[in-house]
């Protein structure tokens, strides 16, 4: 059994760790509320705009369609991997990295795959494979629509220029503080929806359907990427809050076990001292 000093040191160390994890949990809980409100308010608008543009694009002829809807033979694929800049958030980052690696090794095994890393963890994971063409981790330092729009414009330019035939986004979709869903969404080319809901509806397009599509599609793509990053940002704080809550509970349990061990060791030491004193007294009496 470890001596009393070693046990006391371990109790002190575990208590310090418990204070840190508890503080991190409270910080993430405070940040989660703001991030959750932001993505909850934005998601209906982003989803409806994407649905509208997909339906509208599907009604255009191939020759008059948007340059962002061009279907080409897929040889070069770009994956936008969205993780966090920091760890201590459970399996949040590892799930995204595993999904991206699965796309590289299985889905696009016979294609040339490149990665745009949004988050230091993604950059660290894939820079070793020399497939990261851009690291945009700094976007989390000031997460605004304008900063994300710059990344979206870069992606759109590369697609239109023919550098990539397909662009996909991999991120964590926020469900609640304890649950994040790994999502893989096609960013470009735009996926037309099945059916002709917009075509059958009695809409009047001014100035024209084509001009509307050309103007709204870039905005829709920027909004789609911003929603994905916002989702990931909220998911990160939810995952970290949950992970730190579990870590705090585990530290509390370990501390209680160590205290019990310490009390048993101290009781055993006291008992031995009493036995030694009694034995010494008996020896003197004899």
């Amino acid at each position: 059994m470890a001596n009393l000093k070693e046990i006391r040191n371990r109790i002190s160390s575990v208590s310090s760790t418990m204070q840190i994890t508890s503080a991190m949990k409270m910080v993430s809980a405070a940040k989660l509320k703001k991030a959750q409100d932001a993505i909850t308010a934005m998601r209906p608008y982003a989803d409806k705009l994407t649905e509208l543009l997909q339906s509208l694009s599907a009604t255009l002829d191939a020759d008059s369609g948007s340059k962002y809807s061009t279907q080409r033979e897929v040889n070069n694929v770009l994956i936008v991997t969205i993780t966090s800049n920091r760890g201590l958030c459970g399996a949040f980052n590892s799930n995204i990295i595993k999904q991206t690696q699965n796309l590289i090794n299985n889905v696009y095994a016979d294609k040339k795959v490149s990665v745009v890393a949004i988050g230091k963890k993604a950059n660290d994971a894939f820079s070793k494979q020399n497939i990261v063409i851009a690291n945009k981790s700094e976007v989390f330092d000031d997460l605004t629509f304008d900063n994300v729009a710059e990344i979206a414009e870069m992606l759109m330019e590369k697609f239109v220029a023919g550098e990539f035939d397909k662009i996909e986004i991999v991120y964590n979709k926020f469900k609640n503080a304890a649950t994040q869903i790994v999502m893989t969404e096609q960013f470009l080319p735009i996926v037309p929806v099945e059916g002709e809901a917009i075509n059958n509806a009695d809409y009047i397009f001014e100035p024209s359907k084509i001009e509307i599509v050309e103007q709204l599609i870039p905005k829709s793509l920027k909004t789609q990427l911003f929603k994905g990053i916002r989702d990931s940002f909220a998911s990160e704080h939810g995952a970290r809050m949950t992970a730190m809550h579990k870590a705090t509970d585990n530290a509390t349990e370990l501390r209680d076990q160590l205290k019990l061990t310490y009390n048993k060791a101290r009781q055993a030491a006291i008992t031995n001292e009493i036995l030694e004193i009694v034995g010494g007294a008996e020896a003197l009496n004899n």
Side-chain angles (χ1 to χ4, degrees), residues 4 264-274:
L4 294 177
K264 288 181 178 179
R266 186 177 63 176
Q267 187 177 23
I270 294 173
T271 302
N272 288 334
E273 290 179 2
I274 293 175

Side-chain angles (χ1 to χ4, degrees), residues 138-145 147-148:
E138 70 279 358
V139 73
F140 288 112
D141 297 334
D142 185 18
L143 186 53
T144 63
F145 181 82
N147 290 336
V148 175

Side-chain angles (χ1 to χ4, degrees), residues 52-69:
L52 177 65
L53 266 295
Q54 287 177 341
S55 300
L56 193 57
S57 298
T59 65
L60 297 177
D61 297 332
D63 296 335
S64 61
S66 169
K67 55 188 176 182
Y68 303 116
S69 303

